[in-house]
Coordinates of all heavy atoms in Angstrom, one line a residue:
F1 N -138.5 -63.9 60.4 CA -137.8 -62.6 60.5 C -136.9 -62.7 61.7 O -137.3 -62.9 62.8 CB -138.8 -61.5 60.7 CG -138.2 -60.1 60.9 CD1 -137.1 -59.7 60.1 CD2 -138.6 -59.3 61.9 CE1 -136.5 -58.5 60.3 CE2 -138.0 -58.0 62.1 CZ -137.0 -57.6 61.2
K2 N -135.6 -62.5 61.4 CA -134.6 -62.4 62.5 C -134.1 -61.0 62.5 O -133.5 -60.5 61.5 CB -133.5 -63.4 62.2 CG -133.9 -64.8 62.2 CD -132.8 -65.8 61.8 CE -131.7 -65.8 62.8 NZ -130.6 -66.7 62.4
N3 N -134.2 -60.3 63.7 CA -133.8 -59.0 63.9 C -132.7 -58.9 64.9 O -132.9 -59.2 66.1 CB -135.0 -58.1 64.3 CG -134.7 -56.7 64.4 OD1 -133.9 -56.1 63.7 ND2 -135.4 -55.9 65.3
E4 N -131.5 -58.4 64.5 CA -130.4 -58.3 65.4 C -130.6 -57.0 66.2 O -130.5 -55.9 65.7 CB -129.1 -58.2 64.6 CG -127.9 -58.3 65.4 CD -126.6 -58.3 64.7 OE1 -126.5 -57.7 63.5 OE2 -125.6 -58.8 65.2
V5 N -130.8 -57.2 67.5 CA -131.1 -56.1 68.4 C -129.8 -55.8 69.2 O -129.7 -54.6 69.7 CB -132.2 -56.5 69.4 CG1 -133.6 -56.5 68.6 CG2 -132.0 -57.8 70.1
L6 N -128.9 -56.7 69.4 CA -127.6 -56.5 70.0 C -126.6 -57.4 69.2 O -127.0 -58.3 68.5 CB -127.6 -57.0 71.5 CG -128.4 -56.2 72.5 CD1 -128.5 -56.9 73.8 CD2 -127.9 -54.8 72.7
P7 N -125.4 -57.0 69.2 CA -124.4 -57.8 68.4 C -124.5 -59.3 68.7 O -124.3 -59.7 69.8 CB -123.1 -57.2 68.8 CG -123.4 -55.8 69.2 CD -124.7 -55.9 69.9
G8 N -124.8 -60.0 67.6 CA -125.0 -61.5 67.8 C -126.2 -62.0 68.4 O -126.4 -63.2 68.6
H9 N -127.1 -61.1 68.8 CA -128.4 -61.5 69.5 C -129.5 -61.1 68.6 O -129.7 -59.9 68.3 CB -128.5 -60.8 70.9 CG -129.8 -61.1 71.6 ND1 -130.0 -62.4 72.1 CD2 -130.9 -60.4 71.9 CE1 -131.2 -62.4 72.7 NE2 -131.7 -61.2 72.5
F10 N -130.4 -62.1 68.3 CA -131.5 -61.9 67.3 C -132.8 -62.2 68.0 O -132.9 -63.2 68.7 CB -131.3 -62.8 66.1 CG -130.1 -62.5 65.3 CD1 -128.9 -63.1 65.6 CD2 -130.1 -61.7 64.2 CE1 -127.7 -62.8 64.9 CE2 -129.0 -61.4 63.5 CZ -127.8 -62.0 63.8
E11 N -133.8 -61.4 67.7 CA -135.2 -61.7 68.0 C -135.9 -62.3 66.8 O -135.7 -61.8 65.7 CB -135.9 -60.4 68.5 CG -135.5 -59.9 69.8 CD -136.2 -58.6 70.2 OE1 -137.0 -58.1 69.4 OE2 -136.1 -58.2 71.4
T12 N -136.6 -63.4 67.0 CA -137.2 -64.1 65.8 C -138.7 -64.1 65.9 O -139.3 -64.4 66.9 CB -136.6 -65.5 65.8 OG1 -135.2 -65.5 65.7 CG2 -137.1 -66.3 64.6
Q13 N -139.3 -63.9 64.7 CA -140.8 -64.0 64.6 C -141.1 -64.9 63.4 O -140.4 -64.7 62.3 CB -141.4 -62.6 64.4 CG -141.5 -61.8 65.6 CD -142.2 -60.4 65.3 OE1 -141.5 -59.5 64.9 NE2 -143.5 -60.4 65.3
D14 N -142.0 -65.8 63.5 CA -142.5 -66.5 62.3 C -143.9 -66.1 61.9 O -144.8 -65.8 62.8 CB -142.5 -68.0 62.7 CG -141.2 -68.7 62.7 OD1 -140.2 -68.0 62.4 OD2 -141.1 -69.9 63.0
F15 N -144.1 -66.0 60.6 CA -145.4 -65.7 60.1 C -145.9 -66.8 59.1 O -145.2 -67.1 58.2 CB -145.3 -64.4 59.3 CG -144.8 -63.2 60.1 CD1 -143.5 -62.9 60.1 CD2 -145.7 -62.4 60.8 CE1 -143.0 -61.9 60.9 CE2 -145.2 -61.4 61.6 CZ -143.9 -61.1 61.6
V16 N -147.0 -67.4 59.4 CA -147.5 -68.5 58.6 C -149.0 -68.5 58.7 O -149.6 -68.4 59.8 CB -146.9 -69.8 58.9 CG1 -147.1 -70.2 60.4 CG2 -147.4 -70.9 58.0
Y17 N -149.8 -68.7 57.6 CA -151.2 -68.9 57.6 C -151.5 -70.1 56.8 O -151.3 -70.1 55.6 CB -151.9 -67.7 57.0 CG -151.9 -66.4 57.9 CD1 -150.8 -65.6 57.9 CD2 -153.0 -66.1 58.7 CE1 -150.8 -64.4 58.7 CE2 -153.0 -65.0 59.5 CZ -151.9 -64.2 59.5 OH -151.8 -63.1 60.3
E18 N -151.8 -71.2 57.5 CA -151.9 -72.5 56.8 C -153.0 -72.5 55.7 O -152.9 -73.1 54.7 CB -152.3 -73.6 57.8 CG -151.1 -73.9 58.8 CD -149.9 -74.5 58.1 OE1 -150.0 -75.0 56.9 OE2 -148.8 -74.4 58.6
N19 N -154.1 -71.7 55.9 CA -155.2 -71.7 54.9 C -155.2 -70.3 54.2 O -156.2 -70.0 53.6 CB -156.5 -72.0 55.6 CG -156.5 -73.4 56.2 OD1 -156.4 -74.3 55.5 ND2 -156.7 -73.4 57.5
G20 N -154.2 -69.5 54.4 CA -154.1 -68.3 53.6 C -155.0 -67.2 54.0 O -155.3 -66.9 55.2
I21 N -155.7 -66.6 53.0 CA -156.5 -65.4 53.3 C -157.7 -65.6 54.1 O -158.1 -64.7 54.8 CB -156.9 -64.7 52.0 CG1 -157.7 -65.6 51.1 CG2 -155.6 -64.2 51.2 CD1 -158.2 -64.9 49.8
I22 N -158.3 -66.8 54.1 CA -159.5 -67.0 55.0 C -159.1 -67.0 56.4 O -159.9 -66.5 57.3 CB -160.2 -68.3 54.6 CG1 -161.5 -68.5 55.3 CG2 -159.3 -69.5 54.7 CD1 -162.6 -67.4 55.1
D23 N -158.0 -67.6 56.8 CA -157.5 -67.5 58.2 C -157.2 -66.1 58.6 O -157.5 -65.7 59.7 CB -156.2 -68.3 58.3 CG -156.5 -69.8 58.4 OD1 -157.6 -70.2 58.4 OD2 -155.5 -70.6 58.3
Y24 N -156.7 -65.3 57.7 CA -156.4 -63.9 58.0 C -157.6 -63.1 58.2 O -157.7 -62.3 59.2 CB -155.6 -63.3 56.8 CG -155.1 -61.9 56.9 CD1 -154.5 -61.4 58.1 CD2 -155.4 -61.0 55.9 CE1 -154.1 -60.1 58.2 CE2 -155.0 -59.7 56.0 CZ -154.4 -59.2 57.1 OH -154.0 -57.9 57.2

C-alpha cells in the first residue's frame, strides 16, 4: 500500500502472511 501524504511523497506498508490464516 502506497499512500501519497504530500505531493510526490508516499508512505509504504507491506502486508504478507507466509503461512496464511494460521500465522494470523
Side-chain angles (χ1 to χ4, degrees):
F1 176 47
K2 295 174 67 177
N3 185 27
E4 189 177 27
V5 291
L6 293 170
H9 179 69
F10 297 86
E11 291 181 349
T12 302
Q13 285 179 271
D14 281 1
F15 303 90
V16 60
Y17 289 83
E18 291 298 338
N19 300 301
I21 59 176
I22 185 63
D23 285 352
Y24 179 51

